[in-house]
Amino acid sequence: SPEQPNITSYDVTALAIITLEVFAGMWINAFVVSVLCISWVKKKTLNSNEKILLLLGCSRFCYLCISWIYSFLSIIYPNYLYVHRVFQLVLSIQSFLNYSDLWVSACLCVFYCVKIANFGNSFFIYLKVKMDRMVPGLLLGSVLVSLVLSIILFNETDKAISKNLNYTCQGHIWKASIRIEEHFFPIRFIVGLVFVTSFMAVIFSALLLLFSLWRHKRNMQTNCMKDLSMDAHIKAMKSILSFFIMYSINFIFLILSLIYYANEQSHVLFLIAPVLYAFPGFHSLILICSNPKLEKTMLRVLLCVKCK
């Protein structure tokens, strides 16, 4: 078997931080999934917003779980991870769940934009009327696109590793001499395209929604209509703005992860990883606080825990 690499205090610290973030995010997303599943059983149906949140919570929970396994094995037991086909499989599953998270997040932002924003454009009005019917197709399309991209990633990674493995490697990838610049450029291009496409969908939707809410808020102030609707619009603007900032930071670190992964700078990657793993938990927490049903349930659960 290959020689076990030395585990430094830096690696242990990075793993501890990642573990805390991942398990916090898993609990938050498990809460979202549990509440929505209970509501689904009681009502026998889910509205479009709840369908998106349910799929988003499931994909994030699974993504955080497989990401922690990947980080744990890569630091503590790399011999079990960096094995031919095992590494490709884990990386592809993680990528599939990450792509699903990004696409479903983009679908959620587009859904909020279409349902809440108010524009007189005929195409926008058509989308507002048909959006509920389009949601299942958008979610299915997001999952299928993510699956296809993860399969492509698995095949390209397998080809690159197979070409560089030799008899001295004994099937262990971390001893193989892989020329990343030559073999992984198509993969990086595809992954980067996924990041940019989902990011642009979120950015345009968030900006349109913020502009619509700001315009509506200004009209209410002009007409002296200071009521509960004003507070609701201000709260919605704060939620969208916080998501806009968080998604922008997440996008920057995703691009950095592609760059430094290509240069095989693992220590830099472990600085980037905590930011990436914090996003699914923090964003889901914002979604809970902006959803009356989830917020009320969370407060009730916290009250019960405090009383006990």
Side-chain angles (χ1 to χ4, degrees):
S1 60
E3 184 181 350
Q4 179 76 20
N6 294 326
I7 301 174
T8 64
S9 59
Y10 175 86
D11 295 329
V12 174
T13 303
L15 182 61
I17 295 172
I18 290 172
T19 300
L20 290 174
E21 291 182 340
V22 164
F23 278 87
M26 287 173 65
W27 276 107
I28 292 170
N29 286 284
F31 169 80
V32 174
V33 173
S34 300
V35 172
L36 293 177
C37 286
I38 292 172
S39 176
W40 192 4
V41 171
K42 289 181 178 179
K43 298 190 305 181
K44 307 296 182 183
T45 185
L46 290 175
N47 59 41
S48 299
N49 181 44
E50 291 172 336
K51 291 175 184 176
I52 300 175
L53 290 176
L54 180 60
L55 182 58
L56 186 63
C58 291
S59 63
R60 283 179 170 175
F61 179 87
C62 296
Y63 167 72
L64 290 171
C65 183
I66 195 69
S67 296
W68 183 83
I69 293 172
Y70 177 87
S71 300
F72 178 79
L73 292 178
S74 63
I75 294 175
I76 307 299
Y77 297 110
N79 296 348
Y80 294 98
L81 176 64
Y82 295 111
V83 178
H84 189 43
R85 295 287 165 79
V86 174
F87 173 74
Q88 296 96 301
L89 184 62
V90 173
L91 184 64
S92 299
I93 294 174
Q94 185 188 36
S95 299
F96 165 70
L97 295 169
N98 188 26
Y99 300 156
S100 299
D101 178 10
L102 292 174
W103 283 112
V104 177
S105 297
C107 288
L108 181 65
C109 204
V110 171
F111 175 80
Y112 283 159
C113 177
V114 173
K115 298 296 285 187
I116 299 175
N118 189 15
F119 295 102
N121 185 275
S122 57
F123 179 70
F124 195 86
I125 296 173
Y126 172 81
L127 288 178
K128 188 181 288 287
V129 174
K130 298 292 184 180
M131 178 53 67
D132 288 324
R133 296 182 182 179
M134 295 170 62
V135 165
L138 288 173
L139 296 179
L140 179 61
S142 300
V143 173
L144 290 178
V145 169
S146 302
L147 181 62
V148 170
L149 291 173
S150 62
I151 291 173
I152 294 174
L153 177 64
F154 178 88
N155 289 332
E156 292 297 323
T157 307
D158 188 64
K159 288 179 184 177
I161 292 174
S162 298
K163 287 180 180 179
N164 289 275
L165 282 172
N166 52 49
Y167 291 108
T168 62
C169 296
Q170 298 178 353
H172 292 274
I173 296 170
W174 68 286
K175 275 197 170 183
S177 175
I178 301 175
R179 305 175 75 181
I180 292 179
E181 291 79 7
E182 178 183 350
H183 296 287
F184 288 135
F185 177 77
I187 299 174
R188 296 203 305 273
F189 176 78
I190 293 172
V191 174
L193 186 63
V194 172
F195 294 162
V196 171
T197 305
S198 60
F199 178 71
M200 294 303 293
V202 168
I203 294 304
F204 280 122
S205 300
L207 290 177
L208 285 174
L209 184 52
L210 283 171
F211 175 73
S212 177
L213 291 172
W214 172 79
R215 187 177 63 177
H216 188 69
K217 173 178 171 291
R218 188 183 61 178
N219 290 337
M220 286 191 296
Q221 287 177 331
T222 303
N223 298 326
C224 299
M225 296 172 60
K226 294 184 179 180
D227 53 8
L228 294 177
S229 179
M230 173 78 78
D231 294 334
H233 276 73
I234 293 175
K235 185 178 180 180
M237 289 178 67
K238 289 179 179 178
S239 298
I240 295 298
L241 186 60
S242 60
F243 177 46
F244 177 84
I245 295 171
M246 286 180 59
Y247 207 95
S248 300
I249 295 172
N250 186 62
F251 172 75
I252 292 171
F253 276 84
L254 283 171
I255 298 301
L256 289 175
S257 68
L258 281 180
I259 296 171
Y260 286 107
Y261 181 81
N263 296 328
E264 298 182 295
Q265 298 185 33
S266 58
H267 284 75
V268 180
L269 286 175
F270 277 114
L271 291 175
I272 295 173
V275 178
L276 297 179
Y277 294 158
F279 174 75
F282 274 114
H283 181 229
S284 294
L285 190 60
I286 291 175
L287 293 176
I288 291 173
C289 295
S290 60
N291 186 292
K293 179 192 294 184
L294 293 174
E295 185 179 23
K296 187 182 298 184
T297 306
M298 183 183 68
L299 292 175
R300 191 163 58 244
V301 170
L302 292 176
L303 185 61
C304 292
V305 172
K306 183 179 180 181
C307 291
K308 291 182 180 180

